[in-house]
Amino acid sequence: LAAKEGIIIAIPQGKIFFDNESAWQLNTDLKTMQDIKFIDAMLKDIRLKNEFEFGDVYGVGYSLGSMFAYEIACQMSETFSAIASFAGTMPVQPKACNPEQNISIMHIHGTDDPIIQYDKSWQWKAWDSVGAMQDVASLIEYWIEKFNCGNSDQTEIESTLHKTYFDCEQGAKVEHYALIDWDHEWPNNINEILTPLLIWQFLDQSRKRKTNE
């Protein structure tokens, strides 16, 4: 897919830093910007070492990486055009989430996920700096309120509930796929569409939206 569509894929690896319980800093504020600075430096390094023009930049994350994708949405909206998140969430009370511009967001989640539960807020174990995490419904509501989305549409195909929120400020869009009876494992396909292709179609729409503005 990447070769066909001309997508450049970068796969950063986070590491434990100070009191982090895991590899990516969540609930970023001005005192904990190390991972945001890392992603910024990575992009600059790619630009310097390769002879091509950058198009739009997107963030895709799974599980903890999915949670960090929301840090990108909050802290790097001037760099990223859209994010896609599978099996993650974000803090109930973000310390700092004031995007410079609205970016489109896709969230995919299994309703039977035993690790990042779909319908329950939960406390992040020993990582006090992160705090309570949102259930998925609250997560989606957080973004449609922040982007002031005016309309929505809902379809159900087989074991997938698909909700789209549009007419959001600055042309952003929020999409949510609830995978009925699905767990925390990455799905090979959703509604008979390969998951990477489904995600790319969403991300590519954000590029075309910007082009048409």
Side-chain angles (χ1 to χ4, degrees):
L1 178 63
K4 178 182 177 182
E5 298 290 341
I7 303 166
I8 301 157
I9 300 177
I11 307 174
Q13 298 291 321
K15 67 177 182 179
I16 295 176
F17 182 79
F18 291 133
D19 65 343
N20 284 21
E21 188 175 341
S22 198
W24 289 112
Q25 174 68 47
L26 303 181
N27 218 348
T28 302
D29 60 16
L30 291 175
K31 297 179 180 179
T32 56
M33 294 289 288
Q34 66 274 5
D35 285 342
I36 300 299
K37 291 178 180 178
F38 167 46
I39 297 298
D40 185 60
M42 178 192 73
L43 294 174
K44 289 177 180 176
D45 187 61
I46 293 171
R47 285 188 174 97
L48 286 172
K49 292 182 178 179
N50 297 274
E51 295 182 359
F52 52 75
E53 285 192 27
F54 260 39
D56 284 354
V57 181
Y58 311 103
V60 180
Y62 168 35
S63 195
L64 181 62
S66 166
M67 295 185 238
F68 186 68
Y70 287 110
E71 300 299 316
I72 286 174
C74 290
Q75 309 295 337
M76 301 188 74
S77 63
E78 75 285 1
T79 301
F80 285 76
S81 297
I83 66 161
S85 165
F86 173 71
T89 183
M90 65 181 290
V92 171
Q93 296 182 324
K95 294 176 182 176
C97 187
N98 298 295
E100 292 191 14
Q101 60 188 26
N102 296 345
I103 68 172
S104 292
I105 290 174
M106 167 187 272
H107 188 86
I108 308 170
H109 212 114
T111 61
D112 284 357
D113 190 330
I115 299 174
I116 312 298
Q117 295 187 46
Y118 187 89
D119 57 359
K120 290 184 180 179
S121 174
W122 51 282
Q123 195 71 29
W124 192 302
K125 297 174 280 184
W127 201 356
D128 294 335
S129 64
V130 176
M133 305 296 282
Q134 300 194 44
D135 61 274
V136 175
S138 298
L139 169 74
I140 301 302
E141 187 67 23
Y142 176 86
W143 288 104
I144 63 177
E145 286 187 3
K146 183 173 283 291
F147 293 168
N148 197 25
C149 300
N151 288 291
S152 64
D153 186 35
Q154 177 174 308
T155 58
E156 189 165 358
I157 302 175
E158 296 179 355
S159 58
T160 303
L161 181 63
H162 177 210
K163 297 181 180 180
T164 304
Y165 303 87
F166 48 94
D167 290 341
C168 310
E169 290 180 352
Q170 300 177 24
K173 184 167 68 170
V174 178
E175 284 198 30
H176 172 46
Y177 285 86
L179 308 184
I180 311 301
D181 300 328
W182 191 259
D183 56 17
H184 194 71
E185 295 299 313
W186 179 270
N188 291 326
N189 58 74
I190 297 172
N191 295 342
E192 299 184 356
I193 301 175
L194 289 172
T195 303
L197 178 58
L198 183 76
I199 290 173
W200 170 242
Q201 289 172 344
F202 171 80
L203 299 176
D204 196 35
Q205 285 175 5
S206 71
R207 176 183 63 82
K208 292 174 180 176
R209 169 183 61 80
K210 288 174 61 179
T211 301
N212 292 331
E213 286 180 352

